[in-house]
Amino acid sequence: MEFKDYYKILAIDEKANASVIKASYRKLARKYHPDVSKEENAEAQFKEVGEAYAVLKDPEKRAEYDLLRAQGTYRSGGSYQPPPDWQSSHAGNRTHSQRTDEDFSDFFDSIFGAHGSGFRQAEDFQRSTNRRGRDLHYKIALFLEEAFVGCQRQIALRVSEPDQNGSIKQRDKTLNVKIPAGVTEGQHIRLTGQGELGIGGGKAGDLLLEIEFAPHPYFTVDGMNILLTLPVTCWEAALGSTVEVPTLRGKVKLKIPQAANSGNKLRIKGKGLISKGGEISGDQIVTLQVSLPKEHSSEAKALYRQLAECESHFNPRQAFER
Amino acid sequence: MSKSEIVIIDSQHEHILFTLEEVCERCNVHTEMIIEMVEYGIVDPVEKSSLDIWYFNSQALMRLQRAQRLMDGLKLNLSGVAFSLELLDEIDGLQKHIVVLRNQLP
């Protein structure tokens, strides 16, 4: 077991008073709240911060913790064991004071409660009969192409369920999920009864899958439309041309009009995403981007000089000259 | 790892609506709380049909659960959480917009 330095977790001094502890906790709770935070491991950090605060805000718990900490019963980086004769004045009453979804660490349990999490939830299990199992929420990232044609995905989940003795056990299960063609970002798919098992005859929860799109190397999704930046040469843009363009439904030929320019947008009808029922289809919107080679041959340079002479009236910086 | 189960999703999985009672059961709160959350504009029911029956889609359900976690975790009140969610939505939208624009840059 690892010794948890609650002061370090809350980024405070060990002499910090109650208001400093509270202020730091509030700040970190906002930073790591899993519904807000973009930090990695936000959920684990949020729990850790909550645990640290639960101990340090309570003068009695804090005193016990300080005692253990001062005894030097931990070695940095090494494992931690509470002293064999350790007896917390709090041991055992955790079930009544804490909410069951507050999952504190083994370290916390070893100091403040002899009740392991299995036991704690088992008690809860007996207390509230007939409770519906919790829904599980998962995000699955699909490539655009997969979402478009549909695909099969394996999802590994960990569900908690009561065993014969009523204590809560974790079970890994794997689901093979067939995802229908045409799902869109943010869409939810409900797998009825695949969530956590109900308690005391309560119904099982559901598994809700939320579709996310993995970033695509060149397509961007904008609602039902697909955006693509298409590099073209300056002569293709000047003279007009027909070029091959990738779409979700394979390559298509796109006609570039004469005197096209960087930033011009061309619409390829019906090559975007398709709505659930299939009745509405988005478009692919192609933005031209004139692209030049890194180096020009001497022949090309000569031609450019010639071009410069015959187009000498063109001034792209006219706007600056007023 | 235990055996894998095959789940095939058909179209009925895609239109998910929950009644007010189902939402309360899933959020583990009383109806008054959900009604208040609707009044604060945290979520909207999908359709307020003839008999005043509220239906919520799964996005609304998840938003209600998110609102609850924020209220519990950060000790926010209803107007605080409504305001936070609005700002978070706005940030989300702006970030998506940045991605779209960035992808169009040379």
Side-chain angles (χ1 to χ4, degrees):
Chain A
M1 197 186 328
E2 206 184 320
F3 186 89
K4 287 193 183 289
D5 190 339
Y6 292 141
Y7 291 101
K8 209 167 141 194
I9 289 167
L10 287 184
I12 48 173
D13 189 82
E14 53 186 53
K15 291 184 190 69
N17 63 25
S19 65
V20 171
I21 294 172
K22 192 189 253 178
S24 180
Y25 163 71
R26 284 185 175 158
K27 200 171 152 197
L28 291 170
R30 282 197 298 272
K31 183 174 176 194
Y32 291 123
H33 195 289
D35 284 288
V36 181
S37 182
K38 297 266 185 272
E39 305 276 333
E40 255 179 75
N41 273 333
E43 194 166 351
Q45 304 246 43
F46 185 71
K47 275 188 183 161
E48 215 165 45
V49 165
E51 179 177 319
Y53 182 59
V55 173
L56 298 185
K57 76 170 174 191
D58 179 333
E60 281 178 49
K61 282 203 180 99
R62 184 178 178 183
E64 282 185 42
Y65 174 76
D66 282 348
L67 191 65
L68 278 179
R69 195 165 175 267
Q71 278 176 357
T73 43
Y74 72 98
R75 298 168 290 282
S76 60
S79 66
Y80 166 79
Q81 279 296 328
D85 56 344
W86 179 254
Q87 257 289 317
S88 167
S89 56
H90 290 83
N93 53 18
R94 193 181 149 197
T95 32
H96 309 295
S97 58
Q98 302 293 340
R99 293 190 2 221
T100 49
D101 58 347
E102 249 177 310
D103 231 349
F104 289 157
S105 66
D106 292 347
F107 171 73
F108 181 100
D109 284 345
S110 78
I111 301 178
F112 298 110
H115 290 189
S117 57
F119 194 85
R120 195 171 72 243
Q121 287 181 20
E123 247 187 29
D124 186 55
F125 158 73
Q126 283 156 1
R127 215 174 32 231
S128 56
T129 50
N130 193 0
R131 206 180 66 192
R132 192 180 170 280
R134 272 191 300 184
D135 292 335
L136 295 175
H137 296 194
Y138 269 76
K139 286 188 175 179
I140 38 174
L142 302 180
F143 292 112
L144 260 183
E145 289 87 347
E146 292 178 312
F148 190 68
V149 297
C151 63
Q152 190 158 335
R153 264 306 168 83
Q154 214 170 56
I155 301 166
L157 319 162
R158 175 160 294 176
V159 288
S160 344
E161 42 193 40
D163 63 10
Q164 300 93 315
N165 308 321
S167 54
I168 304 291
K169 288 270 148 52
Q170 305 256 305
R171 183 169 75 93
D172 289 320
K173 70 174 182 179
T174 315
L175 294 177
N176 273 315
V177 181
K178 256 199 170 155
I179 293 160
V183 290
T184 50
E185 192 158 36
Q187 190 183 328
H188 291 174
I189 290 174
R190 169 158 75 161
L191 305 182
T192 313
Q194 295 287 355
E196 293 195 348
L197 284 185
I199 287 172
K203 270 201 286 182
D206 297 337
L207 172 61
L208 290 167
L209 297 177
E210 183 177 343
I211 305 289
E212 272 188 327
F213 286 157
H216 193 278
Y218 41 84
F219 292 133
T220 308
V221 180
D222 184 20
M224 297 299 285
N225 293 334
I226 298 287
L227 309 181
L228 174 76
T229 300
L230 179 71
V232 291
T233 61
C234 59
W235 45 96
E236 281 168 342
L239 306 174
S241 151
T242 301
V243 297
E244 252 191 6
V245 177
T247 73
L248 280 177
R249 299 172 182 64
K251 291 187 168 167
V252 298
K253 293 219 185 303
L254 177 67
K255 197 165 180 268
I256 294 165
Q258 263 188 45
N261 208 339
S262 268
N264 283 170
K265 287 183 166 49
L266 303 171
R267 183 182 295 265
I268 310 178
K269 276 253 175 240
K271 297 289 183 195
L273 299 178
I274 296 173
S275 71
K276 277 181 211 166
E279 61 276 10
I280 310 163
S281 167
D283 302 328
Q284 177 162 318
I285 295 172
V286 175
T287 307
L288 300 183
Q289 181 200 314
V290 173
S291 172
L292 293 173
K294 279 212 173 77
E295 272 181 61
H296 289 291
S297 64
S298 46
E299 292 96 322
K301 282 179 189 160
L303 288 168
Y304 269 117
R305 272 181 218 111
Q306 227 178 309
L307 185 64
E309 263 171 50
C310 38
E311 300 276 2
S312 59
H313 60 278
F314 173 60
N315 179 7
R317 292 172 294 279
Q318 210 165 20
F320 304 157
E321 290 174 5
R322 293 173 125 253
Chain B
M1 179 133 349
S2 62
K3 68 179 166 45
S4 69
E5 300 165 44
I6 295 188
V7 177
I8 293 166
I9 294 158
D10 50 49
S11 53
Q12 73 163 50
H13 288 95
E14 293 173 42
H15 298 280
I16 317 165
L17 291 179
F18 300 93
T19 62
L20 183 57
E21 286 70 36
E22 284 175 307
V23 166
C24 291
E25 192 185 12
R26 278 155 206 263
C27 295
N28 208 8
V29 293
H30 296 293
T31 43
E32 291 77 39
M33 185 61 174
I34 303 293
I35 291 167
E36 268 202 284
M37 282 177 149
V38 169
E39 282 169 356
Y40 272 89
I42 291 170
V43 291
D44 287 318
V46 177
E47 39 192 287
K48 284 182 187 165
S49 71
S50 51
L51 293 164
D52 261 350
I53 296 173
W54 278 359
Y55 287 103
F56 297 88
N57 62 22
S58 56
Q59 275 85 358
L61 174 67
M62 280 200 192
R63 196 173 165 86
L64 286 167
Q65 290 171 337
R66 189 179 184 206
Q68 256 192 303
R69 287 191 300 266
L70 283 168
M71 288 172 75
D72 290 349
L74 302 180
K75 304 275 173 281
L76 298 177
N77 60 17
L78 277 165
S79 80
V81 82
F83 184 59
S84 309
L85 285 173
E86 247 167 55
L87 291 178
L88 288 169
D89 282 349
E90 202 174 319
I91 293 171
D92 249 23
L94 292 172
Q95 271 168 348
K96 279 198 182 128
H97 198 58
I98 290 172
V99 171
V100 169
L101 293 176
R102 191 172 282 154
N103 285 351
Q104 297 202 61
L105 291 178

